Amino acid sequence: MRLPAQPGELIDRAEPLGFRLGEYRLEGFRGDTIGSALFANGRRVFSRSFKYHRPRGLLCCSGHCPNCMMTVDGVPNVRVCVEPLREGAVVTPQNVLGRLDMDFLSVVDKFGGPFTPVGFYYRTMIRPRFMWPVYEKFLRGVAGLGRLDEHAGHSRRYDVEHRRARVLVIGGGQAGRAAALAAATAGPGVVLVDESVRLADVELPGVEVLAPARALGIWEGKLVPVDSGTVLYRYRAERIIVATGTVEQPLVFPGNDLAGVMLPEAARRLIRDFSLRPGQRAIVLAADERAPEIAETLREAGVAVPRVVDLREGARQLEAHGRRGHVRRVVVDGEETKCDLVVVSGGRQPAYSLLSQAGGRVEYDESLKVFVPRDLPAGIEAVGSVTGEGIVRAEGAAAYEGSGKCFVCICEDVTTKDVKRSIEEGFDSIELSKRYTTVTMGPCQGKLCQLPSIHLYAHELHTYEATIGTTTARPPWAPVELGLLAGRHLEPTRRTSLHFRHEELGARMMWAGPWKRPYAYGEHPEDEVRTVHESLGVIDVSTLGKLLVEGPEAAQLLERLYPNRFADLKAGRIRYGVLTSDGGRIMDDGTVARLADDLYYVTTTSTGADAVTAWFEWWNAVWGYDAEIVNVTGALAALNLAGPRSRDALQRLTEDELSADEFRYLDAKHIEVAGVPCLALRIGFVGELGYELHFPSSAAEYLWDRLLADGARPFGLEPQRILRLEKGHVIVGQDTDSESNLLSAGMPWLPKMDKDDFVGKFALEHFAERDERELLVGFTMEDDVVPAEGAQIVVEGQPAGRVTSARRSEQVGAVIGLGWLPRDRADAGTRFEVRVDRRLVGARVHHGAFFDSAGERMRS
Amino acid sequence: MSALYFMSPARCTPETLASPLERGLVGAPESLRDLSPDGKVELRGDLARVGLAEGDELIRLTPRRGFLLTGDPLAAIDRSRANGVLAYDMTGALGGLAFEGETLFRRLTDLDPGALPTAGGFARISAILVRDEGERFRAYFPQELGHYVVEVVLDVLAGLAGGRSHRA
């Protein structure tokens, strides 16, 4: 039953809203929270506690405590005391076996105590080890904070918005509003953030009010993420004013968690905001000055208040008793009072967490018996009661004597007994004890339990609260949905200019680093391999990194970056290059074409462009050469036209001369193909006569279409891998790793050790002085089985190396591959074994290319 | 013939050219405009020596590096190189998208809309951002990410059309 309309009530009695609690259909009003609507429908138990499954009711009505956490429309852990009611909402209890009023797991509360002392999970259920999966399943079943619906999918859309504010005021109480208005007189850009729905329609001149919304933390650069439900506002503020006020503190006494035990603000909100009588007969227990005020509020709402206890007068024994989890009577120093509502006030603690996160110091104020913020960094201010202003010292006991479970932390079901035991076990630091007992680690994040637990530690250790200190305040200040933190799922995908052509041709696309590339265009990659060997294939190699190095000292720069020579490379010619690190390890590879005396065109691996660009720029800055490095990867598409018919096919599309004499192997030429200017490189990664055409990416689809119309058949990454393996060509990063160097990877011919210097020279000299333990070599399998990449190589029954690449080659007529072998097993023809599907299969070392070892086809 | 002749889409016959955004923008709101074909030139050197033609827009990224948005990239390159500034045709390298709305901007980047042009994070990639009159913006980004950018912008627009937070 609702009270008569209260001044300023939030509900609209003319607009009823229907919702469900389990199988029950209930009704509330627009403006209700789900919690207030449930309360109006007679519900008093909202949840079951984390460990003991004790019934819990509304405690704070402010979204701080865990007592009202329920699953709403499939979303777990919604604090229904602050969640607006909406038509059709489906509310279900969580962490319950049975019903809220009859939870079978509450047996833990009755009988589990001796078996579940503090830290029991560190000591019990760890032996025998093989039983852990069973224990784990059991523990996950009986504890926890709701369940995610794995099949719910993306039930909500979350967005992130970046905003800027001159002044950001956090907290819309009296002090916060005054600070915002004062800041607004100096100009625009003032934003006020507040959790309360009451402020949603408040107009403050010159102030943008964002409510209901929660500031989650304060990071470096005055970054404040604000949770407004489905949009995370990331504010960058020039000045932050924190006016978060205080958090009411509970009292620590046996039975302090019973349904019907409330903080003053909870009772006040039920009465004022939702016109609900929080109980029929109440007792008020206050350790501060608020007892008369609370009693008056209750009486005005028609609640009988037979007893008001000012705990400052020195009560020692205090306990509450209930029936089926509902409070029924309270005993203070032997005097019993029957009641169904206990309003407790343990004082108010400044909500300093945001200020602490911002770098403010927190110290214990002995006169107020609370922690207060001090020494705030520049640009961070605090106003109102968060500074300690207006707080009256509370004089309650650290914990009251009595019988029954006495909770310090209701989130984690940590009792005074648990804390005392942890101290006895040596956990006398609040930070250590926090980790052992989990006090302050629950959903309230210490809002309701940090101060009481510190009081208790100080009391038990006979020391001062200032000595105990506080736990670290970390963001988020309030619970936040992970979806909101994650925002939209954005996965930057690099697509070549031919991406949609590949899809239209039915290519199976695969990730290759950040790129999407065609794996193959049909079910049988070997068909595409055959085409390249026998006729004409074309592959999109636009993903290759492409750099221009230009300037009077470009040659000197490359000469020092690469182990081999580039200063003597003639314009119009190409040379293969491998980049090595300072440690002489292989970093990347590609080709270098000299386009003019002062201009080189460098290609890198598909995933190496950015790293190579940064590497070049770094060394160029160190050495100070007059050379510019420009990454032109995206500017140019690249196609490799390969196969014995490639010259004829290309010749039909260009007027430039392509004969073997005019356009030799490793030549780079400017030609025009079907109206498109191209840089054509005669190189042969796939081992056949071929031309790599580099040209403006915007012309890619046109040129691709022309080549296909002229009979070229597309081939994908998988056929290319087979083709290159037939030639024994290495893929950096697949066949090499971070320890591979040019000598061990079978390229001792590449570094020119007589050069004055190059990156990695010193290390290579060192490598040359010692015998490499492993060498990268080719091999041929004795049986027709393809080992997995990474498969173990076995010599005399012992692991001796690994396979890096292996494919079945129709051209070679065998399964071929590359792998790392011990030096003494790396001679051509040496037999070793490879583990394939748990059996050992014989293989023999092969040196050089498996196919066309003289390279006649690609040089033709 | 310039050694970098092969880099310029302007040297291709017009029918050979396509935009990286054209598929993604099919059916998109008119407030989104494809700027990919517009001329873009990367400059290296003393930017004060770059000769600007009417309508050219120079975006300075560092003291010695800038982007020139121009209607005639070939002429701009010739002019810049003649003045001792290295110039590279990046028309094909960068996709370009014009869009409207500061809220849309703020959902795509944490850059200060009052401090443009600049280069920085945009839809979790790197882009050059320019502000035109009012709440009109332009973004230039690697063309290979163009389709992705359009997907993101359309997704954010859909979110903005969906209304405010469920709490409000």
Coordinates of all heavy atoms in Angstrom, one line a residue, chain A residues 565-630:
Chain A
R565 N 74.6 -5.5 -50.3 CA 74.9 -4.2 -50.9 C 73.8 -3.6 -51.7 O 73.1 -4.3 -52.4 CB 76.1 -4.3 -51.8 CG 77.4 -4.5 -51.0 CD 78.6 -4.2 -51.9 NE 79.8 -4.4 -51.2 CZ 80.4 -5.6 -51.0 NH1 79.9 -6.7 -51.6 NH2 81.5 -5.7 -50.3
F566 N 73.6 -2.3 -51.5 CA 72.6 -1.6 -52.4 C 73.1 -0.4 -53.0 O 72.5 0.2 -53.9 CB 71.3 -1.3 -51.6 CG 70.5 -2.6 -51.3 CD1 70.6 -3.2 -50.1 CD2 69.7 -3.1 -52.3 CE1 69.9 -4.4 -49.9 CE2 69.1 -4.3 -52.1 CZ 69.2 -5.0 -50.9
A567 N 74.3 0.1 -52.6 CA 74.9 1.3 -53.2 C 75.3 1.0 -54.6 O 75.3 1.9 -55.5 CB 76.1 1.8 -52.3
D568 N 75.7 -0.3 -54.9 CA 76.1 -0.6 -56.2 C 75.0 -1.1 -57.1 O 75.3 -1.5 -58.3 CB 77.3 -1.6 -56.2 CG 76.8 -3.0 -55.6 OD1 75.6 -3.0 -55.1 OD2 77.6 -3.9 -55.7
L569 N 73.8 -1.1 -56.6 CA 72.7 -1.6 -57.4 C 72.4 -0.5 -58.5 O 72.3 0.7 -58.2 CB 71.4 -1.7 -56.5 CG 70.2 -2.3 -57.2 CD1 70.4 -3.8 -57.6 CD2 69.0 -2.3 -56.2
K570 N 72.3 -1.0 -59.7 CA 72.1 -0.1 -60.8 C 70.6 0.3 -60.9 O 69.7 -0.5 -60.6 CB 72.5 -0.7 -62.2 CG 74.0 -0.9 -62.2 CD 74.4 -1.4 -63.6 CE 75.9 -1.3 -63.8 NZ 76.7 -1.9 -62.8
A571 N 70.4 1.5 -61.4 CA 69.0 2.0 -61.6 C 68.3 1.0 -62.5 O 68.9 0.6 -63.5 CB 69.0 3.4 -62.1
G572 N 67.1 0.6 -62.2 CA 66.3 -0.3 -63.0 C 66.6 -1.7 -62.6 O 66.1 -2.6 -63.3
R573 N 67.3 -2.0 -61.6 CA 67.6 -3.4 -61.2 C 67.1 -3.6 -59.8 O 66.8 -2.7 -59.0 CB 69.1 -3.7 -61.2 CG 69.7 -3.7 -62.6 CD 69.2 -4.9 -63.4 NE 69.8 -6.1 -62.9 CZ 69.4 -7.3 -63.3 NH1 68.3 -7.4 -64.1 NH2 70.0 -8.4 -62.8
I574 N 66.9 -4.9 -59.5 CA 66.3 -5.3 -58.2 C 67.2 -6.3 -57.5 O 67.9 -7.1 -58.1 CB 64.9 -6.1 -58.5 CG1 64.0 -5.2 -59.3 CG2 64.3 -6.5 -57.2 CD1 62.8 -6.0 -59.9
R575 N 67.2 -6.2 -56.2 CA 68.0 -7.2 -55.4 C 67.2 -7.6 -54.2 O 66.4 -6.8 -53.6 CB 69.3 -6.5 -54.9 CG 70.3 -7.5 -54.4 CD 71.7 -6.8 -54.2 NE 72.4 -6.6 -55.5 CZ 73.4 -5.8 -55.8 NH1 73.8 -5.0 -54.8 NH2 73.9 -5.7 -56.9
Y576 N 67.3 -8.9 -53.8 CA 66.6 -9.4 -52.6 C 67.4 -8.9 -51.4 O 68.6 -8.8 -51.4 CB 66.7 -10.9 -52.6 CG 66.1 -11.6 -51.4 CD1 64.8 -11.5 -51.1 CD2 66.9 -12.4 -50.6 CE1 64.3 -12.1 -49.9 CE2 66.4 -13.0 -49.5 CZ 65.1 -12.9 -49.2 OH 64.6 -13.5 -48.0
G577 N 66.6 -8.5 -50.4 CA 67.2 -8.0 -49.1 C 66.6 -8.6 -47.9 O 65.4 -8.9 -47.9
V578 N 67.4 -8.9 -46.9 CA 66.9 -9.3 -45.6 C 67.4 -8.4 -44.5 O 68.6 -8.0 -44.5 CB 67.4 -10.8 -45.3 CG1 66.9 -11.2 -43.9 CG2 67.0 -11.7 -46.3
L579 N 66.4 -7.9 -43.7 CA 66.8 -7.0 -42.7 C 67.1 -7.7 -41.4 O 66.4 -8.7 -41.1 CB 65.6 -6.0 -42.4 CG 65.4 -4.9 -43.4 CD1 64.0 -4.3 -43.1 CD2 66.5 -3.8 -43.2
T580 N 68.2 -7.3 -40.8 CA 68.6 -8.0 -39.5 C 68.6 -7.0 -38.4 O 68.8 -5.8 -38.6 CB 70.0 -8.6 -39.6 OG1 70.9 -7.7 -40.1 CG2 70.0 -9.8 -40.5
S581 N 68.3 -7.5 -37.2 CA 68.3 -6.6 -36.0 C 69.7 -6.3 -35.6 O 70.6 -6.9 -36.1 CB 67.5 -7.3 -34.9 OG 68.2 -8.4 -34.5
D582 N 69.8 -5.5 -34.5 CA 71.2 -5.2 -34.0 C 71.8 -6.6 -33.5 O 73.0 -6.7 -33.6 CB 71.1 -4.4 -32.7 CG 70.1 -3.2 -32.9 OD1 69.0 -3.4 -33.3 OD2 70.5 -2.1 -32.4
G583 N 70.9 -7.5 -33.1 CA 71.4 -8.8 -32.6 C 71.6 -9.8 -33.7 O 71.8 -11.0 -33.5
G584 N 71.5 -9.3 -35.0 CA 71.8 -10.2 -36.1 C 70.7 -11.1 -36.5 O 70.8 -12.0 -37.4
R585 N 69.5 -11.0 -35.8 CA 68.4 -11.9 -36.1 C 67.6 -11.4 -37.3 O 67.6 -10.2 -37.5 CB 67.5 -12.0 -34.9 CG 67.9 -13.1 -34.0 CD 69.1 -12.9 -33.2 NE 69.4 -13.9 -32.2 CZ 70.3 -13.7 -31.2 NH1 71.0 -12.6 -31.1 NH2 70.4 -14.7 -30.3
I586 N 67.0 -12.3 -38.0 CA 66.2 -11.9 -39.2 C 65.0 -11.2 -38.8 O 64.2 -11.7 -37.9 CB 65.9 -13.2 -40.0 CG1 67.2 -13.8 -40.6 CG2 64.9 -12.8 -41.1 CD1 67.0 -15.1 -41.3
M587 N 64.7 -10.0 -39.3 CA 63.5 -9.2 -39.0 C 62.5 -9.3 -40.1 O 61.3 -9.4 -39.8 CB 63.9 -7.7 -38.9 CG 64.6 -7.4 -37.6 SD 65.0 -5.6 -37.7 CE 63.4 -4.9 -37.9
D588 N 62.9 -9.1 -41.3 CA 62.0 -9.0 -42.4 C 62.7 -9.2 -43.7 O 64.0 -9.2 -43.7 CB 61.3 -7.6 -42.4 CG 60.0 -7.6 -43.1 OD1 59.9 -7.5 -44.3 OD2 58.9 -7.7 -42.4
D589 N 62.0 -9.4 -44.8 CA 62.7 -9.5 -46.1 C 61.8 -8.9 -47.2 O 60.7 -8.6 -46.9 CB 63.1 -11.0 -46.4 CG 61.9 -11.8 -46.7 OD1 60.7 -11.5 -46.4 OD2 62.1 -12.9 -47.3
G590 N 62.4 -8.8 -48.3 CA 61.7 -8.2 -49.5 C 62.7 -7.9 -50.6 O 63.8 -8.3 -50.5
T591 N 62.2 -7.1 -51.5 CA 63.1 -6.7 -52.6 C 63.3 -5.2 -52.6 O 62.5 -4.5 -52.0 CB 62.4 -7.1 -54.0 OG1 61.1 -6.4 -54.1 CG2 62.2 -8.6 -54.1
V592 N 64.4 -4.9 -53.1 CA 64.8 -3.4 -53.2 C 65.1 -3.1 -54.7 O 65.9 -3.8 -55.3 CB 66.0 -3.1 -52.4 CG1 66.3 -1.6 -52.5 CG2 65.8 -3.5 -50.9
A593 N 64.3 -2.2 -55.3 CA 64.5 -1.8 -56.7 C 65.0 -0.4 -56.7 O 64.5 0.5 -55.9 CB 63.2 -1.9 -57.4
R594 N 66.1 -0.2 -57.5 CA 66.6 1.2 -57.6 C 65.9 1.8 -58.8 O 66.0 1.4 -59.9 CB 68.1 1.2 -57.8 CG 68.7 2.6 -57.6 CD 70.2 2.5 -57.4 NE 70.7 3.8 -56.9 CZ 72.0 3.9 -56.5 NH1 72.8 2.9 -56.5 NH2 72.4 5.1 -56.0
L595 N 65.1 2.9 -58.5 CA 64.4 3.6 -59.6 C 65.2 4.7 -60.1 O 65.0 5.1 -61.3 CB 63.0 4.1 -59.0 CG 62.1 3.0 -58.4 CD1 60.8 3.6 -58.0 CD2 61.9 1.8 -59.3
A596 N 66.0 5.3 -59.3 CA 66.9 6.4 -59.8 C 68.1 6.4 -58.9 O 68.1 5.7 -57.9 CB 66.1 7.7 -59.8
D597 N 69.0 7.3 -59.2 CA 70.2 7.3 -58.3 C 69.9 7.6 -56.8 O 70.5 7.0 -55.9 CB 71.2 8.4 -58.8 CG 71.9 8.0 -60.0 OD1 71.9 6.8 -60.4 OD2 72.6 8.9 -60.7
D598 N 68.9 8.4 -56.6 CA 68.5 8.8 -55.3 C 67.2 8.3 -54.8 O 66.6 8.8 -53.9 CB 68.5 10.4 -55.1 CG 67.5 11.0 -56.1 OD1 67.0 10.3 -56.9 OD2 67.3 12.2 -55.9
L599 N 66.7 7.3 -55.5 CA 65.4 6.8 -55.2 C 65.3 5.2 -55.3 O 65.7 4.6 -56.3 CB 64.3 7.3 -56.2 CG 62.9 6.9 -56.1 CD1 62.3 7.3 -54.7 CD2 62.1 7.5 -57.2
Y600 N 64.9 4.7 -54.1 CA 64.7 3.2 -54.1 C 63.3 2.9 -53.7 O 62.6 3.6 -53.0 CB 65.6 2.6 -53.0 CG 67.1 2.6 -53.3 CD1 67.8 3.8 -53.0 CD2 67.7 1.5 -53.7 CE1 69.2 3.8 -53.3 CE2 69.1 1.5 -54.0 CZ 69.8 2.7 -53.7 OH 71.2 2.7 -54.0
Y601 N 62.8 1.7 -54.2 CA 61.5 1.2 -54.0 C 61.7 -0.1 -53.2 O 62.3 -1.1 -53.8 CB 60.8 1.0 -55.3 CG 59.3 0.5 -55.1 CD1 58.4 1.4 -54.6 CD2 58.9 -0.7 -55.5 CE1 57.0 1.0 -54.5 CE2 57.6 -1.2 -55.4 CZ 56.7 -0.3 -54.9 OH 55.4 -0.7 -54.8
V602 N 61.2 -0.1 -52.0 CA 61.5 -1.3 -51.1 C 60.2 -2.0 -50.8 O 59.2 -1.4 -50.5 CB 62.1 -0.8 -49.7 CG1 62.3 -1.9 -48.8 CG2 63.4 0.0 -50.0
T603 N 60.2 -3.3 -50.9 CA 59.0 -4.1 -50.5 C 59.4 -4.8 -49.2 O 60.5 -5.2 -49.0 CB 58.5 -5.0 -51.6 OG1 59.5 -6.1 -51.8 CG2 58.2 -4.3 -52.9
T604 N 58.3 -5.1 -48.4 CA 58.5 -5.8 -47.2 C 57.5 -6.9 -47.1 O 56.6 -7.0 -48.0 CB 58.3 -4.9 -45.9 OG1 56.9 -4.7 -45.8 CG2 59.0 -3.6 -46.1
T605 N 57.5 -7.7 -46.1 CA 56.5 -8.7 -45.9 C 55.1 -8.0 -45.7 O 55.1 -6.8 -45.3 CB 56.7 -9.6 -44.7 OG1 56.8 -8.8 -43.5 CG2 58.0 -10.4 -44.9
S606 N 54.0 -8.7 -45.8 CA 52.7 -8.1 -45.7 C 52.5 -7.5 -44.3 O 51.7 -6.6 -44.1 CB 51.6 -9.1 -46.0 OG 51.7 -9.5 -47.4
T607 N 53.0 -8.1 -43.3 CA 52.8 -7.6 -41.9 C 53.9 -6.7 -41.5 O 53.9 -6.2 -40.4 CB 52.6 -8.8 -41.0 OG1 53.8 -9.7 -41.1 CG2 51.4 -9.6 -41.2
G608 N 54.9 -6.5 -42.3 CA 56.1 -5.9 -41.8 C 56.2 -4.4 -42.2 O 57.2 -3.7 -41.7
A609 N 55.3 -3.9 -43.0 CA 55.5 -2.5 -43.5 C 55.7 -1.5 -42.4 O 56.6 -0.6 -42.4 CB 54.3 -2.1 -44.4
D610 N 54.8 -1.5 -41.4 CA 54.8 -0.4 -40.4 C 56.1 -0.6 -39.5 O 56.8 0.4 -39.2 CB 53.6 -0.5 -39.5 CG 52.3 -0.2 -40.2 OD1 52.4 0.5 -41.2 OD2 51.2 -0.6 -39.7
A611 N 56.5 -1.8 -39.2 CA 57.7 -2.0 -38.4 C 58.9 -1.6 -39.2 O 59.9 -1.0 -38.6 CB 57.8 -3.5 -37.9
V612 N 59.0 -2.0 -40.4 CA 60.1 -1.6 -41.2 C 60.2 -0.1 -41.4 O 61.3 0.5 -41.4 CB 60.1 -2.4 -42.6 CG1 61.2 -1.9 -43.5 CG2 60.3 -3.9 -42.4
T613 N 59.1 0.5 -41.6 CA 59.1 2.0 -41.8 C 59.7 2.6 -40.5 O 60.5 3.5 -40.6 CB 57.7 2.5 -42.0 OG1 57.1 1.9 -43.2 CG2 57.7 4.0 -42.2
A614 N 59.2 2.2 -39.4 CA 59.7 2.7 -38.1 C 61.1 2.4 -37.9 O 61.9 3.3 -37.4 CB 58.8 2.1 -36.9
W615 N 61.6 1.2 -38.3 CA 63.0 0.8 -38.2 C 63.9 1.7 -39.1 O 64.9 2.3 -38.6 CB 63.1 -0.6 -38.7 CG 64.4 -1.3 -38.5 CD1 65.3 -1.6 -39.6 CD2 65.1 -1.7 -37.4 NE1 66.4 -2.2 -39.1 CE2 66.3 -2.3 -37.7 CE3 64.8 -1.7 -36.0 CZ2 67.2 -2.8 -36.8 CZ3 65.7 -2.2 -35.1 CH2 66.9 -2.8 -35.5
F616 N 63.4 2.0 -40.3 CA 64.2 2.8 -41.2 C 64.3 4.2 -40.6 O 65.3 4.9 -40.7 CB 63.5 2.9 -42.6 CG 63.8 1.7 -43.5 CD1 64.2 0.5 -43.0 CD2 63.7 1.8 -44.9 CE1 64.5 -0.6 -43.8 CE2 63.9 0.7 -45.7 CZ 64.4 -0.5 -45.2
E617 N 63.1 4.7 -40.2 CA 63.1 6.1 -39.7 C 64.0 6.3 -38.4 O 64.6 7.3 -38.2 CB 61.6 6.5 -39.4 CG 60.8 6.8 -40.6 CD 59.4 7.1 -40.4 OE1 58.9 6.8 -39.3 OE2 58.7 7.6 -41.3
W618 N 63.9 5.3 -37.6 CA 64.7 5.3 -36.4 C 66.2 5.4 -36.7 O 66.9 6.3 -36.2 CB 64.5 4.0 -35.5 CG 65.5 3.7 -34.5 CD1 66.6 2.8 -34.7 CD2 65.7 4.3 -33.2 NE1 67.3 2.8 -33.5 CE2 66.8 3.7 -32.6 CE3 64.9 5.2 -32.5 CZ2 67.2 4.0 -31.4 CZ3 65.4 5.5 -31.2 CH2 66.5 4.9 -30.7
W619 N 66.7 4.5 -37.6 CA 68.1 4.5 -37.9 C 68.5 5.8 -38.7 O 69.6 6.3 -38.6 CB 68.5 3.3 -38.7 CG 68.6 2.1 -37.8 CD1 67.8 1.0 -37.7 CD2 69.6 1.9 -36.7 NE1 68.3 0.1 -36.7 CE2 69.4 0.7 -36.1 CE3 70.7 2.6 -36.3 CZ2 70.2 0.2 -35.1 CZ3 71.5 2.2 -35.3 CH2 71.2 0.9 -34.7
N620 N 67.6 6.2 -39.5 CA 67.8 7.4 -40.3 C 68.0 8.6 -39.4 O 68.9 9.5 -39.6 CB 66.7 7.7 -41.3 CG 67.1 8.7 -42.4 OD1 68.3 8.8 -42.7 ND2 66.2 9.5 -42.8
A621 N 67.2 8.7 -38.3 CA 67.3 9.7 -37.3 C 68.6 9.6 -36.6 O 69.3 10.6 -36.3 CB 66.1 9.7 -36.4
V622 N 69.0 8.4 -36.3 CA 70.3 8.2 -35.6 C 71.5 8.6 -36.4 O 72.4 9.3 -35.9 CB 70.4 6.7 -35.2 CG1 71.8 6.4 -34.6 CG2 69.4 6.3 -34.1
W623 N 71.5 8.2 -37.7 CA 72.6 8.4 -38.5 C 72.6 9.8 -39.2 O 73.6 10.3 -39.6 CB 72.7 7.4 -39.6 CG 73.0 6.0 -39.1 CD1 73.8 5.7 -38.0 CD2 72.5 4.7 -39.6 NE1 73.8 4.3 -37.8 CE2 73.1 3.7 -38.8 CE3 71.7 4.4 -40.6 CZ2 72.8 2.4 -39.0 CZ3 71.4 3.0 -40.8 CH2 71.9 2.0 -40.0
G624 N 71.4 10.4 -39.3 CA 71.2 11.7 -39.8 C 71.5 11.8 -41.3 O 72.0 12.8 -41.8
Y625 N 71.1 10.8 -42.0 CA 71.2 10.9 -43.5 C 70.2 11.8 -44.1 O 69.1 11.9 -43.6 CB 71.1 9.5 -44.1 CG 72.3 8.6 -43.9 CD1 72.2 7.3 -43.4 CD2 73.6 9.0 -44.3 CE1 73.3 6.5 -43.2 CE2 74.7 8.2 -44.1 CZ 74.5 7.0 -43.5 OH 75.6 6.2 -43.3
D626 N 70.6 12.3 -45.3 CA 69.6 13.2 -46.0 C 68.8 12.2 -46.9 O 69.1 12.0 -48.1 CB 70.4 14.2 -46.8 CG 69.5 15.2 -47.5 OD1 68.2 15.0 -47.4 OD2 70.0 16.0 -48.3
A627 N 67.8 11.6 -46.3 CA 66.9 10.7 -47.0 C 65.5 10.7 -46.4 O 65.4 10.8 -45.2 CB 67.5 9.3 -47.0
E628 N 64.6 10.5 -47.2 CA 63.2 10.5 -46.7 C 62.6 9.1 -46.9 O 62.9 8.4 -47.9 CB 62.3 11.5 -47.5 CG 62.6 12.9 -47.2 CD 62.2 13.4 -45.9 OE1 61.3 12.7 -45.2 OE2 62.7 14.4 -45.4
I629 N 61.9 8.6 -46.0 CA 61.2 7.3 -46.0 C 59.7 7.5 -46.1 O 59.2 8.1 -45.2 CB 61.6 6.5 -44.8 CG1 63.2 6.3 -44.8 CG2 60.9 5.1 -44.8 CD1 63.8 6.5 -43.5
V630 N 59.1 7.0 -47.1 CA 57.7 7.2 -47.2 C 57.0 5.8 -47.4 O 57.3 5.1 -48.4 CB 57.3 8.1 -48.5 CG1 55.9 8.4 -48.5 CG2 58.1 9.4 -48.4

